[in-house]
Amino acid sequence: MTETMIPDHSNTMIIDNGQTTNPNEKKVTLQDIPRLPRELSPFVPFINVIEYDQRGPLYQGPGAKRDTGRYKIRPTDDDSVKRAKKFAMEQSVKYVLVRQQQHQQRAQLDLIKKQQALLLMCRIYIGSINFELNEAMLKQAFQPFGPVKSVSLTFDPVTNRHKGFAFLEYETPEAAQLSIEQMNGVILGGRNIKVGRPSNMPQAQPIIDQLTEEAKNYNRIYVASIHPDLSETDIQSVFEAFGKIKSSSLSKDTATGKHKGYGFIEYDTVQAAQDAINSMNLFDLG
């Protein structure tokens, strides 16, 4: 026979919310709960701090024995730190080398662009040419502005005559600019020739503008069609009347040792250079 203990609920009261209360239990109020002292309660208003005088030796507890210096890493961590430092150094060196290489490439590219722009600035277009003129005649007509490297006339294969235009290349861009200013519209062989820049010049115009802007830092003038018998000293003595000359040089021919008929003079001031241009351009010297 199995016996089961049944709890006695005869003295238990059932209330509405399902909780049970025992009438024999003592009712506990808020005043009966023990409270912390006022100085230990974290929620009390600010109170004055009480200071005590030390009357005995001060002992350090376990928390004060911690090493506050450099963190002591484990051997495995030490290897990881060394590898990280090595990798960082390699990346830093690689970054510097890449930057140097990019800088050199940009400098070389800028140099190539300037050289190409200078070559374009040395070339001129000549149009409306008389059919009786040839390359030698054109070279002779444009020689006073500077040494001519090449002249090319375009010929018609059917008629075996040139098409009335040519391209001429000087040694210096100043000679090309001077020839455009002086020869455009001049009558040559009974026709008014047209002298200007080639059609592909706009492609290099930004570089040309840069070179022109850099040239403004120098008070330098270009002198062409210089008589073969005049020396560099003769030219300097004539042009120093307009102001102090910083430097002067005539381009020499390495084969003959004589000058090529043109040179550069640099003055100390802009006004001196401008006065020399206004007074000496087309002047008959020698």
Side-chain angles (χ1 to χ4, degrees):
M1 181 176 178
T2 304
E3 295 182 356
T4 303
M5 297 294 295
I6 300 176
D8 184 10
H9 298 290
S10 59
N11 296 328
T12 302
M13 297 178 61
I14 299 176
I15 57 178
D16 294 339
N17 58 3
Q19 295 180 350
T20 59
T21 57
N22 193 336
N24 297 328
E25 291 182 356
K26 183 180 179 182
K27 187 177 181 180
V28 180
T29 62
L30 185 63
Q31 287 76 13
D32 297 331
I33 299 175
R35 307 185 66 179
L36 294 173
R38 184 175 179 85
E39 62 271 11
L40 299 180
S41 177
F43 303 106
V44 297
F46 175 77
I47 58 175
N48 295 329
V49 179
I50 302 175
E51 297 183 359
Y52 295 96
D53 296 332
Q54 180 179 338
R55 296 185 178 179
L58 180 64
Y59 297 95
Q60 294 182 351
K65 294 182 180 180
R66 292 178 300 176
D67 186 6
T68 58
R70 184 179 178 182
Y71 173 67
K72 295 180 180 179
I73 59 177
R74 297 170 296 178
T76 55
D77 295 337
D78 191 17
D79 295 337
S80 301
V81 171
K82 289 181 180 179
R83 288 196 301 269
K85 288 182 177 180
K86 182 180 179 182
F87 177 76
M89 181 62 68
E90 292 174 352
Q91 292 298 316
S92 178
V93 173
K94 182 179 179 181
Y95 175 77
V96 172
L97 293 177
V98 170
R99 289 295 301 271
Q100 290 179 350
Q101 185 178 4
Q102 292 176 349
H103 179 72
Q104 292 176 355
Q105 290 176 351
R106 284 195 297 268
Q108 292 177 356
L109 184 61
D110 292 342
L111 181 61
I112 292 174
K113 288 182 178 180
K114 287 184 177 181
Q115 291 175 349
Q116 293 175 347
L118 286 174
L119 289 176
L120 287 175
M121 293 174 69
C122 292
R123 299 188 67 194
I124 62 172
Y125 166 82
I126 308 171
S128 188
I129 303 173
N130 191 311
F131 293 103
E132 302 298 328
L133 299 179
N134 55 27
E135 294 179 350
M137 294 177 180
L138 290 175
K139 183 176 181 179
Q140 182 180 2
F142 284 84
Q143 188 79 34
F145 306 103
V148 177
K149 291 180 66 175
S150 64
V151 182
S152 60
L153 280 168
T154 305
F155 286 85
D156 190 339
V158 179
T159 61
N160 201 21
R161 298 172 65 182
H162 65 75
K163 297 182 179 181
F165 67 91
F167 292 96
L168 185 144
E169 184 177 357
Y170 284 100
E171 288 188 4
T172 62
E174 291 84 3
Q177 180 64 32
L178 194 59
S179 66
I180 293 173
E181 295 173 357
Q182 301 292 333
M183 293 296 289
N184 187 31
V186 171
I187 298 177
L188 188 64
R191 301 181 66 175
N192 295 92
I193 61 174
K194 300 183 183 300
V195 184
R197 296 290 184 183
S199 59
N200 56 351
M201 280 293 291
Q203 300 176 1
Q205 195 60 43
I207 306 297
I208 294 174
D209 294 339
Q210 179 183 352
L211 293 173
T212 306
E213 193 66 25
E214 292 176 357
K216 293 180 180 179
N217 298 325
Y218 304 92
N219 306 318
R220 187 179 301 162
I221 65 172
Y222 171 73
V223 185
S225 190
I226 301 175
H227 195 279
D229 294 337
L230 295 178
S231 64
E232 185 174 318
T233 306
D234 297 332
I235 296 298
Q236 186 169 350
S237 62
V238 172
F239 279 87
E240 65 183 1
F242 304 99
K244 182 180 179 181
I245 295 177
K246 295 179 64 175
S247 64
S248 64
S249 62
L250 298 181
S251 181
K252 298 293 182 64
D253 190 344
T254 56
T256 62
K258 297 181 180 180
H259 65 76
K260 296 181 180 180
Y262 73 95
F264 297 92
I265 299 175
E266 185 175 0
Y267 283 95
D268 195 26
T269 61
V270 181
Q271 187 61 43
Q274 193 60 47
D275 291 342
I277 292 174
N278 296 334
S279 301
M280 297 300 295
N281 190 29
L282 301 178
F283 185 81
D284 187 1
L285 186 63

